[in-house]
Amino acid sequence: MKRYLLLFSLFMASSSSLFYSQNIIPRKPQQEKASNLTMKAGAFIDVNAVGYAPTDYSPLQLVKDVLISSGTNSCVTPNVSNVQVSPYLPATSANRSWGYFHKGTTNFPFKDGIVLSTGYVNKAGNTYISSTLGDALQSGSDPDLVAATNPSGSINDAVILEFDFVPTSSQVKFNYLFASEEYTGTFPCGYSDAFALLLRPTAGGPYVNMAVLPAPGSGPVSVTNIHPQNSFAGTDMGCGAPNVAFFGGYNTSNIETNFNGRTVPLQATATVTPGQSYHFKMVLGDALDTSFDSAVFLEGGSFNIGVELLDPSGGTLPEEINVCDNVPQVITASVSDPNMTYQWFYNGVAVPGATTPTITATQPGNYEIQVTFPGNPCPGKANIKINGGTTPSAVDASLLLCTTPDVTWFDLTNAMPSISTTTGAVFHFYVNQADAIAQNNNYIQDFCI
């Protein structure tokens, strides 16, 4: 009988020890070791760094003048309102969880923008930090984040950026990436800080989470849903490699931030009604504990709530295009609504009768469309510059060579007068037709071959 009691006592002691090790002992990160690269000046992005004017911006200034692509348009001011950050600390505080980032001299995929972190955001970059970030914001959870992500455990250190805006286009979009300290050890198999990009009409209604992968059914943007097969130490984590194409890499050779890993740049898109007010809420929080931070980087100038110009196939046109021989160009505004008013301008002058979403440009110059919706004095605007040129005359020509022991090469300049007599014509000689049609840089640099 005593033997059984002894065995039972030992089992209880062992079980208690196992329970303690799984639930009480905190997680230990897979530490990154300092190297010559991590200690090199300029190895990290700049976050709320001295020398950048936006470092001292208020949340409203960051949204209007950094995040939104039309921030230089004075009409944006009344279209963006109620900008709030929570928990809020002033721009002078080193412990704030929001701010401005700049890529500095790194290869970070975004030049600059807004960053939000579940810890002290200045630790996201600037200098190497060997320990986990793990700063407790004491902000607790957020009901909208819980409703949108249905996390498996408690949420801590919730941080929020939110504002109201009125789009002048039927689509809102912006670029972002997600970075986290949860990209360490085997954590991606079971731990993921909660993250959502929420949008709904200001008048009310359910939120739509824009932080989802573009492929249908691919799921949310999270550590557990986007990671490779192996940890950054090279060991198999044992939980597959879900959506690995969207994993941007570990912080090993390309340091850039103090987070262990990140996603590739992603684009959030949503269909909206022009002229209707919407509420945007970006929120993230630590999962289960406060020991491992995450962050979201919004690319500066990418939050587009205005009008874009499209080619006949529906592709977005750049700000400037080159056209030869005044070939007509069909240009269409990205928003089409019978309640909208349209007016096209050519070199700053209204084009008579050009009051539809589409115009056919027949000559070089600056084209602009202004789209106005009822009750709003600020039109949506989009511009494109068309550079024109004349195609030089050209005919086929032959260049003959009578080979001798002393002359075994062609001087292609001898063929130029036979090909074209157009003054100022620029000649590029290609060795294959594919390169010639593409007009790329794979042309012969030395005219003597």
Side-chain angles (χ1 to χ4, degrees):
M1 189 69 172
K2 292 181 180 179
R3 290 170 54 196
Y4 294 134
L5 289 174
L6 177 60
L7 288 173
F8 180 76
S9 299
L10 288 174
F11 176 76
M12 288 296 293
S14 177
S15 298
S16 175
S17 176
L18 178 62
F19 179 83
Y20 181 85
S21 66
Q22 289 181 338
N23 294 277
I24 304 300
I25 297 177
R27 294 182 289 160
K28 293 183 179 181
Q30 188 169 340
Q31 295 288 342
E32 296 180 57
K33 296 181 179 180
S35 65
N36 291 334
L37 183 58
T38 59
M39 304 309 292
K40 182 180 179 182
F44 292 84
I45 63 172
D46 299 321
V47 181
N48 288 341
V50 176
Y52 298 101
T55 292
D56 299 320
Y57 280 3
S58 67
L60 173 62
Q61 287 176 296
L62 282 176
V63 170
K64 185 176 73 72
D65 297 331
V66 175
L67 180 59
I68 296 178
S69 60
S70 53
T72 56
N73 183 350
S74 60
C75 274
V76 167
T77 303
N79 285 350
V80 176
S81 59
N82 299 325
V83 180
Q84 298 182 41
V85 171
S86 177
Y88 176 77
L89 289 174
T92 55
S93 174
N95 295 339
R96 57 177 164 142
S97 57
W98 59 277
Y100 171 79
F101 75 89
H102 192 285
K103 68 181 293 183
T105 58
T106 71
N107 291 320
F108 197 70
F110 299 151
K111 175 186 175 183
D112 69 349
I114 297 177
V115 56
L116 210 65
S117 173
T118 57
Y120 301 158
V121 74
N122 64 334
K123 293 184 179 180
N126 300 316
T127 58
Y128 172 69
I129 297 176
S130 59
S131 62
T132 60
L133 307 187
D135 304 303
L137 301 180
Q138 306 297 331
S139 54
S141 185
D142 177 79
D144 295 324
L145 178 61
V146 172
T149 61
N150 190 28
S152 58
S154 61
I155 297 297
N156 305 289
D157 293 341
V159 57
I160 303 166
L161 169 66
E162 55 188 332
F163 55 87
D164 298 334
F165 68 93
V166 179
T168 56
S169 176
S170 57
Q171 186 182 70
V172 58
K173 61 183 179 180
F174 58 93
N175 301 327
Y176 71 99
L177 65 82
F178 176 68
S180 180
E181 284 191 289
E182 302 286 1
Y183 278 115
T184 184
T186 59
F187 295 171
C189 293
Y191 286 91
S192 183
D193 291 345
F195 161 52
L197 300 170
L198 305 174
L199 184 71
R200 73 178 181 188
T202 304
Y207 275 117
V208 174
N209 186 10
M210 304 168 67
V212 293
L213 294 174
S218 295
V221 175
S222 67
V223 173
T224 53
N225 196 39
I226 305 173
H227 66 75
Q229 182 81 24
N230 297 330
S231 68
F232 68 77
T235 57
D236 188 337
M237 291 187 289
C239 55
N243 300 300
V244 68
F246 298 101
F247 181 64
Y250 292 117
N251 266 355
T252 51
S253 59
N254 54 331
I255 303 302
E256 298 173 351
T257 76
N258 275 308
F259 298 101
N260 300 89
R262 59 174 171 82
T263 67
V264 299
L266 299 166
Q267 185 174 77
T269 61
T271 300
V272 293
T273 301
Q276 179 176 316
S277 179
Y278 286 85
H279 184 74
F280 172 74
K281 181 176 183 178
M282 181 175 76
V283 54
L284 63 159
D286 287 332
L288 301 177
D289 54 37
T290 62
S291 300
F292 301 86
D293 292 339
S294 295
V296 178
F297 295 82
L298 302 180
E299 183 180 19
S302 70
F303 201 102
N304 194 326
I305 60 176
V307 181
E308 292 184 322
L309 297 180
L310 310 177
D311 62 23
S313 67
T316 302
L317 288 167
E319 295 180 354
E320 190 170 340
I321 61 174
N322 299 320
V323 176
C324 293
D325 305 321
N326 293 332
V327 174
Q329 302 296 305
V330 178
I331 306 171
T332 302
S334 59
V335 55
S336 179
D337 190 302
N339 296 318
M340 311 291 280
T341 300
Y342 302 88
Q343 179 61 63
W344 285 94
F345 294 80
Y346 173 67
N347 289 339
V349 179
V351 180
T355 56
T356 68
T358 300
I359 194 172
T360 300
T362 58
Q363 54 186 326
N366 296 301
Y367 290 82
E368 178 184 278
I369 190 171
Q370 295 188 8
V371 182
T372 306
F373 48 89
N376 194 309
C378 293
K381 300 179 181 180
N383 300 270
I384 188 170
K385 181 182 179 182
I386 298 180
N387 299 312
T390 302
T391 302
S393 61
V395 297
D396 294 337
S398 298
L399 185 61
L400 302 178
L401 172 66
C402 296
T403 59
T404 69
D406 299 323
V407 181
T408 58
W409 46 268
F410 287 94
D411 185 348
L412 297 178
T413 59
N414 293 333
M416 292 180 182
S418 302
I419 295 173
S420 177
T421 58
T422 301
T423 303
V426 177
F427 292 81
H428 285 165
F429 292 94
Y430 293 86
V431 297
N432 63 69
Q433 189 177 28
D435 288 336
I437 293 175
Q439 297 185 35
N440 56 34
N441 293 325
N442 295 331
Y443 55 85
I444 299 171
Q445 303 292 331
D446 188 346
F447 286 144
C448 294
I449 60 174

